Each structure stands twice: as C-alpha cells, then as structure tokens.
Amino acid sequence: MKNILKNFLIVLFVILMVAGFISLYAQPEQKVEQISVAKLINEVNKEKVKEITVKGDKLEIILFSNEKQKAQKEGIESLSEMFKNFGVSPEKMGKVNIVVKDESGAGFWMNNLLPYLIPFILIGLFIFIMMRQVQGMNQKAMMFGRSKVKNVKGTGKKVTFKNVAGAEEAKEELFEIVDFLKDHKKYSDLGAKIPKGVLLLGAPGVGKTLLSRAVAGEANVPFFHISGSEFVEMFVGVGAARVRDLFSKAKKNAPSILFIDEIDAVGRRRGAGLGGSHDEREQTLNQILVEMDGFDQNDNVIVLAATNRPDVLDPALLRPGRFDRQVIIDLPDIVEREAILKVHSFKKPLEKNVSLKEVAERTPGFSGADLENLLNEAAILTVRHHKKKVEQQEILDSIERVLIGPERKSHILGPEEKKITAYHEAGHALVAKKLPRTDPVHKVSIISRGKAAGYTLKLPSEDRKFSSRSKFIDELAVLVGGYISEKINFGEVTTGATNDLQQATKLCKRMITEFGMSKKLPPRTYGEQEEMIFLGREIHEQRDYSEKTAEIIDSEIFELINNACATAEKIIKENKEKMEKIVKILLKKETIEREEFDSLFKKNKTEVDSNPNKKLSE
Ligand code: ADP
Ligand code: ZN
C-alpha cells in the first residue's frame, strides 16, 4: 500500500517536471509577434484586423490574413476607450470582432502562473514526501505495542500427535490439556482446577514447538505463537503492552493455546542485572504474571512455554496457578531416533539398502531437528550425485555434515600443513583407541570441514545420561592428544590446537567446580554463574569461595591437564609405528574409516586383549 503511494508520487513528480518544461518552452514555438499599441491602431485603421481577444490587459489579435499577433494595453482603460483616445472611428472599430475573456479562466492560470508555481510545487512535494516518511516511522513506533503474534490455525497442514515421534511421556502429560480444551465442563463439574500454564523443558530442537502445535491440532483450537525475544525491544514498556495485546487476542479466540517460545528471554530471575533492558524484561515478566493470575477458569486459554534453561527462570513463574506443570522432553534415544527418522523420511524416496536403524545407532545426541536436517542434507546430496533415491551412504555422509559442517574442498592445505594436520589428528585417534573409556573412532580425516582443518569423529556407542570421572580423564587425554603429537613430532605446536585446549580447559574447570570430581576439595559447587544482559550478553561468575580455594581449584586444573598430557605423551611415544601408519594413510587418502582404522590395531591382538576395560567402550 505504501509502495503504491510512493510510486504514484514519483510518477506525479515526473509528470509535473515535464509539464513545467513544456509550459516554459512551448510558447515561443507559436511565433506570435508582439506589436505595439501604435501598430495595432494603425492596423485597425487599415481594416486589417479581424478579431481581438481581450484577456485582462493582454490582447490577442487575429488578422484577416490569419496571422496572429499580440499586444499589451494599459491596465485600466477598456479597449474601446483606448481606440477612442487614439481617434479610431466607430465604423473602423465596428469592423473588428472584439471578444472579452474572463482572465480567471483555466487557460490564464496555465499560461501565466504555472511556470512560476512549478518550483514551489516541487519543493512542497519534496517536503510532503519527507514528512510522510517520518510519519511512517512514527506510526511504526506506535505499532510496537502490538504483539507480532502468529495465529497458525488454518494455515498449512494440521499437526497432531501423530507427527511427533517418540516423546511418549510428554504426549501423555499433554493429552490431559487436549482433553480439557475439548471438554472443559467435565473437569469444572468435578471442581478440578486445570493448569493455566505448562512449561516444556528441553534442549533446542527436541520438538517443544512441534508438541505445542500438536496439542492445538489435537484439540482443534487456535494456536498463538510468539517468541520471548520478540517482547524485548528498545523502548521500555513495549514488552508489557505486547503481553497485554497477546493475552487479549488469545482470550478473544478461546479456547486457544498461547505458546511462548524461549520464555527465558523474558522470564529470567529478576533483580540480577544492570541496565535499561533489564527493567524492560522485568516489566514484561510482571505483565505475564499479572495476565496469568487474571485468568479465569472459564477463560479456557492455556499457556504453553518452552525453554532450555529452567535454571535461570524466575521462581515466580513456577508458582501454583502459573507454570506449575512442567513437561521434560529429553533428547531422543535410539528407538525414538529411528521413529523420528521414519516420520521425516516419509516423503523422501529411500533405496532398499537404507537402514534407519543403523543411522539411529550412529546419531546419539542428535535432536529431532538435527535428524530432520540430516535427512534433508542426504536428499540434497542425492540430487547432487544425480540419483533418484537416497542411499545409505548419502545419509551417513550427511552425519558429518550436520556434526562438523560441510566439507571445504576449496580450502586446500599446503603439503606442510597437511602433514601437521595428519599428525595432529592421528594423535587424537591413537590416544582415543588406546584408552578404555573413550568413544570409538568412526573416522579420521584431514579434509577441512567447517572451521576445522581436520577432524577425528568419535561417536558414543550408546545413549549416555551421565559420565564418570575416569571417562572425563580419558577424554582429556584425547583432547590434548593432537597438541602432544604435534609437539613430539615437530618439536613445536601450531595454532591448530587452540580449540582442543579450550575444550579441555572448560572440561577440567567443570569437573572441579561443578561435578565435584576434585580430590582435594570437598564435593560442592564453586561459583555461581549468572547470565546478565547488559551491553550485550555476558556470563558473569559470582565467586562464592575464598582466594585460597581459588588457588586450589587452579592447582587441580593444572594437575588434570598435566596428567592428561603425560598420558597422551606416553601412548604416542609407545606407538610410534602405529602413528606413522595412520599418518601415511591419511596423507595418501585423506580419510580413514572405522573398519580400516580398527584393522590397523588387529594384528597385535594381545595388546588389545590385555586391556580388561576395553570391552566397556565398544
Ligand atoms: P524446539 O521448539 O524444541 O526447539 P522444534 O519443535 O522447533 O524444536 O523442532 C524442530 C523440528 O524438529 C520440528 O519441526 C520437527 O520437524 C523436528 N522434530 C523434533 N522433534 C521431533 C519428533 N519427536 N518427531 C518428529 N519430528 C521432530
Ligand atoms: Zn585437534
């Protein structure tokens, strides 16, 4: 609408410009001779003049020879008076046809005023356009108070619980909500209070939005969707206005589902930060609480909210009558992964050799969204390979794509860099192979993917809910394996190990301060992490221990890292010729798959068997 107006104004502008130029320069083309009054009198006396048109003090003269002329008289006196004064006889005057025209006619304006007016019109138009733009911005600012809520009922296809694979417990919990929305009287007759809010907890991509949509779909009610981050705007008070608007919309369409994604963006614990944006969040949160408290049992609106950070939520949100129900959605296990893959492979033609079970086995830790993405990548890869059906290999190849990023074939390493990368990755792989509690190596590669120059792909062989200290100790040795290998084989290290060291440091720190895995310190947590939104997002750690404890923490971290380095060094030095073998294959083929990698270690059977724990990891 605004565009049409804008285009219209531009066209108008151009037309006026053209018209202006024409009216400025068109007149001389008529070649009308300007004559003096004396000459006109002379012509009248000679009976040459056929007609005189009077427009104010302008005279347009047409001669009998059809020639046109113009003249100017003095403003005050009339034409006949002027002729009389000049002594023209009445007979001669009678020969001339005199026409008097109203000087306020359109033609007068067009001819006389327009050329002078055009500059003013243009300037006015310019100012007008500018004003409109500014006003448009103001209008936008005024619209801030409206929520950008999306009502998805009737748009697209309906989502039901059938579209959600796995997550049986969550579905069961939510089924009650569906039942309530469908038959609200059944519950109120028994005096049962139905929850106003349900909090869905789970990692990103596990299907929180999908489940909420499915609840609305099953109950056949409108679904209002908004993200917590959309509340937070530049101006204080906007968020609260949006909340009011949102709730009133939902109530108007009751029974309905109101879904607030990322509620942690507004629902953070209050009074923890600094700065203006914080006040804004607080107000928004307060408004949500007020609205939820104001809900009537008969309002028939149920608020579903999703977050992956329940720990940062304000306790006020979780009080009875607000989000008192919590549904936890875990990452899918192997059976659920297969089911999710099945749901999303529905529209993709798969070759007979595809085993979704194997794919599920190889994707521990993947969320529903990751799995959907995986199949999509596989389909794209299939098109690129000019095939009609997706094969197992495409799906397996896509796992790495999703995990680490796309291959960067153009990012070619020089021979020296290639060698360093090969030794680095071989270091990781070798240490991983030799330690009992690490995840099996699936692939070692020196093809760049994403940001990494090379990578060693290890995947857990089972879904794990928790890890042990000894597993972390082994993982640490694997992490520094690349660094140690570079050091041993080249005498110095490159920047390629930066990311490994960051990860190792983080893991050590968490082991000591969060997991209670220190040997010297009593089991408690050290430091409270708090996320603050002040000039950007920053993690602020509140120290709740003494300087002395801090020193012990540091020394514990040093010890963990030092031990990990020693372990890695020992393994790499003891297995020099295995390392050379891995590097040789890597330099030749760039990639080693799991089977080939394992076969390198097979001949030396006694060595593997001598390790009693080995079976645990495979
Ligand atoms: P969240 O809101 O938890 O971040 P979404 O609900 O947006 O995650 O999930 C993203 C996508 O992942 C969904 O659109 C869906 O296609 C897929 N997905 C996630 N979990 C499942 C599941 N259990 N069954 C089928 N698809 C799923
Ligand atoms: Zn590395």
Side-chain angles (χ1 to χ4, degrees):
M1 186 59 211
K2 229 189 123 200
N3 262 345
I4 296 176
L5 190 75
K6 202 169 159 192
N7 287 344
F8 174 73
L9 284 177
I10 288 174
V11 169
L12 194 71
F13 181 80
V14 170
I15 289 176
L16 277 175
M17 288 281 279
V18 172
F21 277 114
I22 288 176
S23 64
L24 270 179
Y25 296 106
Q27 273 163 333
E29 267 181 51
Q30 291 175 349
K31 278 183 193 146
V32 181
E33 192 192 349
Q34 177 95 29
I35 55 170
S36 64
V37 174
K39 191 167 179 203
L40 175 64
I41 303 294
N42 197 8
E43 277 171 356
V44 174
N45 281 334
K46 285 184 180 158
E47 293 180 12
K48 270 184 179 173
V49 177
K50 183 175 155 199
E51 188 179 296
I52 298 176
T53 309
V54 187
K55 289 179 178 173
D57 53 359
K58 284 214 172 64
L59 307 175
E60 285 173 16
I61 304 140
I62 301 175
L63 304 184
F64 282 107
S65 60
N66 272 335
E67 203 182 319
K68 282 183 182 163
Q69 292 173 331
K70 53 184 187 172
Q72 184 117 14
K73 70 175 172 67
E74 269 175 77
I76 343 130
E77 52 181 1
S78 73
L79 187 64
S80 44
E81 261 173 40
M82 186 182 83
F83 280 159
K84 232 180 253 163
N85 290 344
F86 277 96
V88 180
S89 65
E91 308 95 70
K92 295 249 159 91
M93 255 194 315
K95 291 254 166 68
V96 181
N97 184 15
I98 294 173
V99 184
V100 180
K101 268 202 180 155
D102 190 358
E103 60 178 321
S104 67
F108 172 81
W109 287 100
M110 283 298 283
N111 283 335
N112 300 295
L113 276 179
L114 206 57
Y116 305 103
L117 278 181
I118 276 177
F120 292 102
I121 291 174
L122 291 185
I123 291 168
L125 203 66
F126 180 71
I127 292 172
F128 175 72
I129 291 173
M130 295 288 284
M131 295 255 284
R132 271 208 64 94
Q133 268 178 354
V134 174
Q135 210 175 31
M137 272 178 219
N138 278 340
Q139 261 168 1
K140 254 189 236 154
M142 289 300 125
M143 295 286 280
F144 268 159
R146 301 269 190 82
S147 57
K148 284 181 235 156
V149 64
K150 296 161 216 90
N151 178 359
V152 287
K153 196 192 177 184
T155 60
K157 79 179 197 312
K158 205 167 96 175
V159 179
T160 64
F161 281 150
K162 271 199 212 106
N163 299 89
V164 187
E168 291 305 328
E169 289 146 47
K171 276 193 226 169
E172 222 163 86
E173 284 274 334
L174 291 171
F175 202 80
E176 218 174 82
I177 306 286
V178 174
D179 203 35
F180 167 71
L181 286 169
K182 271 186 180 161
D183 188 4
H184 144 252
K185 209 168 160 293
K186 187 164 81 187
Y187 290 86
S188 52
D189 281 353
L190 279 175
K193 265 200 186 139
I194 282 297
K196 294 174 182 173
V198 180
L199 199 59
L200 304 172
L201 310 175
V206 289
K208 298 183 290 291
T209 315
L210 189 69
L211 264 169
S212 314
R213 230 169 254 254
V215 171
E218 288 281 338
N220 206 13
V221 300
F223 178 76
F224 293 94
H225 174 283
I226 193 163
S227 175
S229 53
E230 283 171 50
F231 285 129
V232 184
E233 288 275 359
M234 228 158 41
F235 302 113
V236 174
V238 172
R242 278 198 187 157
V243 171
R244 272 194 295 276
D245 184 53
L246 180 63
F247 276 78
S248 79
K249 267 184 198 156
K251 274 188 213 166
K252 239 180 252 159
N253 290 285
S256 61
I257 295 271
L258 178 56
F259 178 66
I260 308 177
D261 206 355
E262 298 173 49
I263 193 164
D264 46 300
V266 285
R268 256 157 223 284
R269 199 162 296 153
R270 285 170 291 185
L274 311 151
S277 70
H278 183 75
D279 284 343
E280 166 62 358
R281 251 192 16 230
E282 213 162 274
Q283 281 194 13
T284 308
L285 176 58
N286 284 340
Q287 193 61 41
I288 292 180
L289 297 179
V290 166
E291 291 287 346
M292 286 190 76
D293 289 343
F295 265 177
D296 205 310
Q297 272 297 308
N298 302 319
D299 271 342
N300 236 343
V301 176
I302 290 184
V303 186
L304 298 182
T307 178
N308 54 347
R309 308 268 329 258
D311 51 313
V312 300
L313 287 186
D314 196 293
L317 267 176
L318 308 178
R319 234 175 275 147
R322 292 163 183 174
F323 293 101
D324 48 0
R325 291 262 173 126
Q326 297 179 14
V327 176
I328 296 171
I329 307 167
D330 282 320
L331 283 173
D333 63 20
I334 184 165
V335 182
E336 289 172 321
R337 284 199 298 275
E338 195 182 337
I340 294 173
L341 285 167
K342 214 169 262 160
V343 167
H344 287 289
S345 62
F346 184 62
K347 273 196 185 151
K348 299 185 175 72
L350 300 182
E351 200 66 70
K352 285 217 176 62
N353 71 359
V354 169
S355 156
L356 293 179
K357 190 156 183 250
E358 194 197 348
V359 179
E361 271 166 19
R362 289 217 191 180
T363 48
F366 272 48
S367 69
D370 291 333
L371 292 169
E372 183 187 13
N373 185 16
L374 170 68
L375 285 179
N376 192 43
E377 289 288 345
I380 292 171
L381 215 57
T382 306
V383 172
R384 204 181 292 165
H385 293 170
H386 305 292
K387 291 186 202 162
K388 286 272 174 290
K389 283 182 172 177
V390 181
E391 288 179 30
Q392 185 77 346
Q393 195 53 46
E394 269 90 35
I395 304 183
L396 295 185
D397 284 348
S398 305
I399 293 178
E400 284 146 61
R401 250 183 111 78
V402 173
L403 271 182
I404 316 172
E407 258 180 36
R408 286 168 60 199
K409 289 237 164 77
S410 63
H411 187 92
I412 296 164
L413 301 172
E416 185 61 19
E417 278 179 320
K418 227 172 173 168
K419 211 169 142 196
I420 295 173
T421 309
Y423 274 100
H424 179 106
E425 298 306 330
H428 285 307
L430 190 63
V431 176
K433 183 73 191 171
K434 286 292 170 184
L435 287 173
R437 276 165 289 259
T438 55
D439 300 326
V441 173
H442 275 255
K443 196 176 199 174
V444 190
S445 172
I446 55 168
I447 298 173
S448 322
R449 258 182 200 282
K451 274 190 192 162
Y455 59 95
T456 302
L457 185 66
K458 298 182 290 124
L459 292 172
S461 38
E462 64 210 15
D463 295 305
R464 229 182 257 111
K465 287 275 181 288
F466 36 73
S467 290
S468 62
R469 182 178 196 269
S470 47
K471 180 170 163 45
F472 284 145
I473 299 271
D474 284 2
E475 288 295 341
L476 277 175
V478 176
L479 277 173
V480 297
Y483 171 91
I484 296 291
S485 176
E486 284 186 34
K487 208 168 163 187
I488 292 177
N489 291 297
F490 298 96
E492 63 164 359
V493 291
T494 64
T495 50
T498 318
N499 190 5
D500 296 338
L501 298 183
Q502 274 170 356
Q503 279 188 44
T505 311
K506 212 169 173 182
L507 179 55
C508 286
K509 196 159 180 214
R510 295 192 71 190
M511 282 172 72
I512 306 295
T513 61
E514 282 180 45
F515 306 147
M517 290 177 178
S518 162
K519 280 187 174 153
K520 290 183 199 150
L521 293 167
R524 55 156 285 197
T525 59
Y526 297 90
E528 226 173 277
Q529 291 205 338
E530 207 172 318
E531 213 172 315
M532 288 198 318
I533 302 190
F534 174 61
L535 302 179
R537 195 170 280 223
E538 55 182 60
I539 307 272
H540 173 82
E541 203 193 64
Q542 220 161 16
R543 194 188 261 191
D544 55 358
Y545 46 85
S546 69
E547 199 58 46
K548 216 164 128 197
T549 313
E551 270 171 35
I552 303 179
I553 290 175
D554 277 342
S555 75
E556 289 273 87
I557 292 176
F558 293 159
E559 196 185 320
L560 281 174
I561 293 273
N562 279 336
N563 287 344
C565 287
T567 311
E569 195 170 335
K570 186 159 172 272
I571 291 172
I572 290 170
K573 280 191 170 153
E574 277 174 4
N575 295 278
K576 266 239 139 78
E577 96 291 357
K578 289 266 153 57
M579 165 83 91
E580 293 303 331
K581 267 190 201 164
I582 302 171
V583 168
K584 211 173 132 196
I585 300 176
L586 276 179
L587 288 178
K588 204 170 117 201
K589 296 202 301 190
E590 298 196 321
T591 309
I592 309 180
E593 295 285 348
R594 183 177 183 180
E595 293 75 30
E596 191 177 1
F597 181 73
D598 285 348
S599 74
L600 288 176
F601 295 83
K602 278 241 166 80
K603 281 168 227 149
N604 220 343
K605 231 181 167 14
T606 46
E607 197 187 332
V608 178
D609 285 346
S610 70
N611 197 336
N613 282 326
K614 190 68 213 167
K615 284 203 188 74
L616 277 181
S617 72
E618 282 178 353

